[in-house]
C-alpha cells in the first residue's frame, strides 16, 4: 500500500491518506475501523471535483490529530470494489466505524460541511472507540450532531445502529423517532417511540418527542398556504380564529416559534376561547420543543405575563 497526498497518481511523503485496493480494503478499512473511524474517498484521475475535494478533506483529517483515518480508492483501478459498494458518482466519501458504514456524502462539499462531518466522526470514535456503553453513546451523540446539522439520513442510520446493540436506549429511540418525524412519516415515528421502556416514558426527551408526534398527527390537515393564513391574521388583528388557524398552519409546517407567537396572540385576546384551546396547544408546543429551548423559555415568560397581568 502506498501513501498519497493528492489526486494525480503517485503519492508524496507525509500524507494523511493511504491508497487502498480491493485486495487491501478489508485490512485498511474494515479492520482499521475497529479502533477509529476510517474515511474512504472514492475518486478518479479525470474527476475535477475530486481534485477540489482532496486537499480540503486531507486538511480536515490532519486537524483531527489521529482521531480518524483517510483512505483513497481510485475507482478506475478498483472497478469491482466500486460496483460492490454501489458507487454511482464521484467524489463519494464513506465513513466506516467498527466495520460498518456510518456516514458519508457526495460531491465537493464546502469546507464547513467537511469539518462538521469530521466532528461527527470524532465524536463517534471517542477516546475509547467501541468500549461498551460508551461506544453506544458515541453513536447516539453523533446521531444528535448529524440531526442538528440537518443530515437526517445519517442521523437515522447512527441511531438505528445504536439500537441494534442496545434496543432500549432511550436517546437512540427518541432520536430515530425525530428523524422519522422530520421525514414526514408520523406512523414510523410512533412505532419507534413505542420501543421505549415503560420506566423511561416520563423522561423529558420522551415527552418532547411524544408531543411533537401528537402535533404532527393532529395538525397535518391544517397545512396550507401560510402566506394566506398570515395575511388573514394580519388583516384582522382581533380575529381570534384567524390567529389560531395561523398557529395550526405554522405547527403543521414545523415552524413552532412562529406558532408560539400566534397562540399567545389568541390568549392575549381571549384566554378562555374554545375552552382554553390556545393555552393547551401552546403547552404541547413547549413540550415538543423541550423545556430548555430558548423559544420555550421566552414563550413561558410571555404566557406568565399575560396570565398574571
Amino acid at each position: 500500500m502506498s501513501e498519497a497526498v493528492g489526486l494525480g497518481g503517485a503519492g508524496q511523503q507525509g500524507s494523511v491518506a493511504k491508497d487502498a485496493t480491493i485486495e487491501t480494503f478489508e485490512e485498511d478499512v474494515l479492520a482499521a475501523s475497529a479502533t477509529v473511524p476510517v474515511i474512504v474517498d472514492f475518486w478518479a484521475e479525470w474527476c475535477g471535483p475530486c481534485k477540489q475535494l482532496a486537499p480540503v478533506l486531507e486538511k480536515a483529517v490532519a486537524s483531527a490529530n489521529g482521531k480518524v483515518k483517510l483512505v483513497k480508492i481510485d475507482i478506475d483501478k478498483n472497478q469491482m470494489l466500486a460496483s460492490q459498494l454501489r458507487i454511482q458518482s464521484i467524489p463519494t466519501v464513506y465513513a466506516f466505524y467498527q466495520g460498518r458504514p456510518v456516514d458519508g456524502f457526495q460531491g465537493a462539499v464546502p469546507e464547513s460541511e467537511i469539518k462538521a462531518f469530521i466532528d461527527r466522526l470524532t465524536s463517534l470514535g471517542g477516546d475509547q472507540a467501541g468500549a461498551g456503553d460508551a461506544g453506544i453513546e458515541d453513536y447516539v451523540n453523533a446521531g444528535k450532531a448529524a440531526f442538528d446539522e440537518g443530515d437526517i439520513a445519517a442521523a437515522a442510520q447512527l441511531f438505528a445502529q445504536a439500537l441494534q446493540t442496545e434496543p432500549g436506549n432511550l436517546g437512540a429511540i427518541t432520536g430515530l423517532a425525530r428523524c422519522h418525524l422530520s421525514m414526514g412519516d408520523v406512523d414510523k415515528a410512533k412505532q419507534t417511540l413505542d420501543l421505549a421502556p415503560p420506566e423511561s416514558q416520563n423522561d423529558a426527551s420522551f415527552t418532547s418527542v411524544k408531543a411533537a408526534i401528537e402535533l404532527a398527527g393532529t395538525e397535518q390537515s391544517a397545512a396550507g398556504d401560510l402566506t394566506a393564513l398570515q395575511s388573514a391574521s394580519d388583516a384582522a388583528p382581533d380575529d381570534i380564529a384567524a390567529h389560531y388557524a395561523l398557529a395550526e398552519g405554522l405547527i403543521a409546517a414545523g415552524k413552532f416559534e412562529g406558532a408560539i407567537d400566534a397562540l399567545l396572540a389568541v390568549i392575549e385576546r381571549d384566554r378562555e376561547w374554545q375552552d382554553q384551546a390556545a393555552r393547551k396547544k401552546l403547552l404541547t408546543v413547549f413540550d415538543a420543543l423541550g423545556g430548555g429551548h430558548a423559544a420555550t423559555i421566552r414563550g413561558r415568560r410571555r404566557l406568565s405575563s399575560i396570565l398574571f397581568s
Side-chain angles (χ1 to χ4, degrees):
M1 177 172 30
S2 63
E3 293 184 344
V5 167
L7 299 178
Q12 300 175 24
Q13 188 66 27
S15 172
V16 298
K18 291 184 177 181
D19 293 324
T21 66
I22 191 170
E23 290 81 12
T24 65
F25 185 82
E26 183 172 354
E27 176 187 353
D28 293 339
V29 177
L30 302 183
S33 71
T35 54
V36 295
V38 176
I39 298 168
V40 184
D41 177 16
F42 294 90
W43 68 283
E45 179 66 36
W46 46 264
C47 172
C50 296
K51 295 179 180 180
Q52 295 174 7
L53 174 67
V56 183
L57 183 58
E58 292 184 9
K59 177 184 174 183
V61 169
S63 297
N65 296 317
K67 293 182 179 179
V68 296
K69 295 180 179 179
L70 176 62
V71 168
K72 292 182 178 293
I73 294 178
D74 184 337
I75 65 165
D76 286 341
K77 297 177 181 178
N78 298 276
Q79 294 182 13
M80 183 178 296
L81 179 59
S83 177
Q84 290 174 351
L85 295 174
R86 299 180 181 178
I87 305 302
Q88 297 180 340
S89 64
I90 54 172
T92 288
V93 174
Y94 283 163
F96 289 78
Y97 183 51
Q98 297 183 344
R100 295 177 292 184
V102 295
D103 206 342
F105 63 85
Q106 290 183 331
V109 302
E111 186 172 1
S112 59
E113 291 187 27
I114 294 174
K115 184 180 182 303
F117 174 70
I118 299 291
D119 287 345
R120 292 199 299 270
L121 295 176
T122 57
S123 172
L124 181 62
D127 293 329
Q128 295 180 352
D133 292 340
I136 294 172
E137 290 309 309
D138 284 339
Y139 274 100
V140 174
N141 290 335
K144 290 177 180 177
F147 185 91
D148 289 342
E149 290 155 11
D151 193 346
I152 307 302
Q157 186 176 35
L158 289 162
F159 290 133
Q161 287 171 344
L163 285 175
Q164 288 179 2
T165 304
E166 186 181 322
N169 185 284
L170 184 61
I173 290 170
T174 55
L176 186 57
R178 282 197 183 278
C179 289
H180 289 313
L181 200 55
S182 293
M183 292 185 284
D185 197 331
V186 177
D187 289 338
K188 275 194 176 180
K190 289 179 180 177
Q191 292 166 9
T192 302
L193 200 62
D194 286 343
L195 299 174
E199 64 272 15
S200 68
Q201 295 184 8
N202 290 325
D203 188 275
S205 63
F206 178 91
T207 57
S208 176
V209 178
K210 182 179 179 182
I213 290 173
E214 289 175 357
L215 287 174
T218 59
E219 304 300 340
Q220 282 181 333
S221 60
D225 187 344
L226 286 181
T227 301
L229 291 171
Q230 184 70 63
S231 297
S233 177
D234 293 341
D238 294 322
D239 187 338
I240 294 175
H243 287 301
Y244 193 79
L246 173 61
E248 288 187 313
L250 289 165
I251 290 171
K255 300 179 182 296
F256 287 178
E257 295 187 36
I260 289 174
D261 292 335
L263 290 168
L264 286 168
V266 172
I267 297 169
E268 276 187 310
R269 287 159 177 77
D270 186 352
R271 67 186 67 175
E272 299 297 329
W273 183 78
Q274 297 286 0
D275 192 24
Q276 299 189 21
R279 186 184 68 83
K280 293 174 183 176
K281 185 76 69 178
L282 183 60
L283 295 179
T284 305
V285 173
F286 289 159
D287 284 341
L289 285 173
H293 196 286
T296 298
I297 295 170
R298 288 194 300 269
R300 286 193 181 280
R301 286 175 182 166
R302 287 181 56 196
L303 177 63
S304 297
S305 177
I306 292 169
L307 294 178
F308 297 106
S309 61

